[in-house]
Amino acid sequence: MLLRETVKALIQRHGLIATFLPKLFPNDIGSGSHVHISLWEGDKNVFKADSSGGQYGMSKIGQEFMSGVYHHLPSILAFTAPLPNSYERIKPQTWSGAHHCWGRENREAPLRASCPPGTHHDVVSNFELKSFDGCANPHLGLAAILAAGIDGMQKHLQLPEPVDDDPSTLSEGLLKMLPTSLEQSVAALQQNEILKELLGPSLIKCIIAVRQSEIEFYKKQEDFSTMLAVRY
């Protein structure tokens, strides 16, 4: 938040506008606010592989946490991609993660297991969530990610096999798409009883109501990109 406010203030001094809008120009890649997540106990990164029996270079607890985020990702998008414009960015081959999958150093996967610079991919220090943009409330977005990860640890969820190729080059129907609209992510959240329990039904009810009002508002706007660019 400090970075955004600083950038906007400095750019404004030069008579320009800085925007973190996900998709201002139709032919551009867009702008995201990717999040890197690791798990720590004291000064030890417990996301990395250890003797607990995890796979893919992660510890057991790290894999379970990431599995929870993977499982709830369609619902999480209602927090991390909160505007109709957000879904203009989440397209195949734009480094934003349009398919429901995860990968090892796969920049086309919405969830990417990340290795420390200069190390082999068998050592994973954190994972990246790409489907997060500058229109999101970062506190609520991170809360949804944490809740999903906690559910993964409580239920000992497991990750599917990683996708290490560009998902859009695989056979059609092999992978599901993530929500392609705010309507779809809100529908997923409405059906998600786990996040309602962990985050509280009052908060979820409020989030859904706000998102639905935004859907209706932007349906009536012919050209709202300039307005959004200034706001975000």
Side-chain angles (χ1 to χ4, degrees):
M1 296 303 291
L2 285 172
L3 172 67
R4 293 183 199 175
E5 293 302 314
T6 302
V7 169
K8 283 178 173 289
L10 288 173
I11 292 296
Q12 192 173 27
R13 291 182 184 179
H14 298 276
L16 302 170
I17 295 174
T19 183
F20 294 88
L21 186 67
K23 193 78 166 183
L24 180 57
F25 302 111
N27 296 324
D28 270 358
I29 293 294
S31 178
S33 295
H34 299 183
V35 177
H36 285 259
I37 301 148
S38 55
L39 303 175
W40 292 77
E41 185 174 353
D43 59 356
K44 181 182 178 182
N45 183 351
V46 296
F47 192 85
K48 291 182 179 181
D50 56 20
S51 58
S52 64
Q55 294 178 285
Y56 311 119
M58 311 172 208
S59 65
K60 183 175 182 290
I61 192 174
Q63 184 180 337
E64 290 175 353
F65 187 96
M66 187 174 173
S67 297
V69 177
Y70 170 87
H71 179 77
H72 292 287
L73 192 53
S75 301
I76 291 173
L77 260 62
F79 293 85
T80 61
L83 293 179
N85 182 268
S86 301
Y87 299 84
E88 296 300 317
R89 182 183 79 93
I90 303 175
K91 303 288 187 182
Q93 298 184 326
T94 60
W95 308 323
S96 58
H99 294 79
H100 196 174
C101 64
W102 77 279
R104 293 171 292 194
E105 295 297 355
N106 185 350
R107 298 186 182 277
E108 283 297 328
L111 297 175
R112 176 177 71 94
S114 181
C115 309
T119 63
H120 193 267
H121 66 251
D122 287 340
V123 179
V124 175
S125 62
N126 64 86
F127 72 94
E128 176 189 29
L129 191 154
K130 293 183 168 62
S131 309
F132 204 127
D133 65 50
C135 295
N137 180 314
H139 311 290
L140 295 177
L142 291 172
I145 293 168
L146 289 172
I150 288 170
D151 183 54
M153 291 190 293
Q154 290 177 338
K155 294 179 178 175
H156 306 293
L157 298 178
Q158 298 299 305
L159 287 167
E161 289 295 315
V163 175
D164 293 330
D165 297 314
D166 182 348
S168 64
T169 65
L170 302 178
S171 299
E172 187 175 352
L174 191 61
L175 295 173
K176 290 183 178 180
M177 299 292 291
L178 285 174
T180 57
S181 67
L182 185 56
E183 289 94 335
Q184 290 181 8
S185 62
V186 169
L189 180 60
Q190 285 176 314
Q191 299 170 12
N192 195 315
E193 298 300 325
I194 301 300
L195 291 188
K196 288 179 184 177
E197 178 185 347
L198 290 172
L199 294 172
S202 296
L203 175 61
I204 298 300
K205 183 178 180 180
C206 180
I207 291 291
I208 290 172
V210 170
R211 298 293 180 264
Q212 289 175 333
S213 68
E214 288 171 336
I215 290 168
E216 293 305 313
F217 174 78
Y218 290 112
K219 279 181 180 178
K220 301 173 184 177
Q221 308 301 312
E222 292 184 2
D223 184 12
F224 49 80
S225 59
T226 301
M227 176 187 67
L228 287 174
V230 173
R231 180 179 297 177
Y232 294 103

